[in-house]
Amino acid sequence: AESPLSPAGGGGRGEGEGTGAPPSPAGTPRSLADLVNLALSRDPATRAAWYDARAAAAQAGSRWTTYLPTLDASASLVRQRIGEAPGRSTSFQTTWGPSATITWLLLDLGARGALVDEADLLFAAARLGEHAAVADLVLRVQEGTFAYLAARALVEAQAALVKQAEAGLAAAEGRQRAGLSTLADVLQARTA
């Protein structure tokens, strides 16, 4: 079976060209960068770190609003029945009134600044956490990829070694049939 990762990034050939193998499916990763992109798009830890950083950014931005004034506005509407008595007509009185209050804290001895600094530092920490999660994922993908490539190269080397030992055994058996070597040489080649 053809591996999803070519050892040298495709070797400059098109997919399946010159190898005798059919081209790989469109979604199959062919390089380390493809594997990293695939892992980044599917890893829940990096996604959670990204969302944590976005939440910290929003929190840091909302802390700056403590420097702005606040405005409270309201309106009231009251309808009353007036002059209700026997023999008198009933009348209604409607009153309404808007009200607004603006509050602006001018001096707080550094409390707002401390809250803003705290939010900014939490945002920086969340961004560093996001970068660390991404770097950790990239490292894990690279380690896995290189471990896979090393294992595949070891399998290929062992297969070549077996073929070489089989050729040595065939040569030793041929020499024994010709009378040029002993049974011990054949047994040694078979052991190898």
Side-chain angles (χ1 to χ4, degrees), residues 65-73 100-105 112:
T65 61
T66 58
Y67 286 104
L68 300 176
T70 58
L71 175 66
D72 295 321
T101 305
I102 187 166
T103 307
W104 195 353
L105 181 63
R112 289 179 294 183

Side-chain angles (χ1 to χ4, degrees), residues 80-164:
Q80 295 177 336
R81 208 180 274 190
I82 305 174
E84 193 171 332
R88 290 185 62 188
S89 66
T90 304
S91 66
F92 293 97
Q93 179 182 7
T94 304
T95 57
W96 68 278
S99 66
T101 305
I102 187 166
T103 307
W104 195 353
L105 181 63
L106 297 177
L107 183 63
D108 69 349
L109 302 175
R112 289 179 294 183
L115 290 174
V116 168
D117 289 344
E118 175 196 24
D120 288 343
L121 292 174
L122 288 174
F123 171 60
R127 287 291 291 169
L128 289 174
E130 178 188 6
H131 290 301
V134 169
D136 182 53
L137 179 68
V138 169
L139 177 65
R140 286 186 286 138
V141 168
Q142 288 176 341
E143 286 174 343
T145 301
F146 292 132
Y148 165 74
L149 291 175
R152 189 174 74 178
L154 184 61
V155 166
E156 290 172 0
Q158 292 294 336
L161 188 61
V162 167
K163 285 182 184 178
Q164 182 182 7

Side-chain angles (χ1 to χ4, degrees), residues 22 28 40 117 126 185:
T28 303
L40 284 173
D117 289 344
D185 293 334

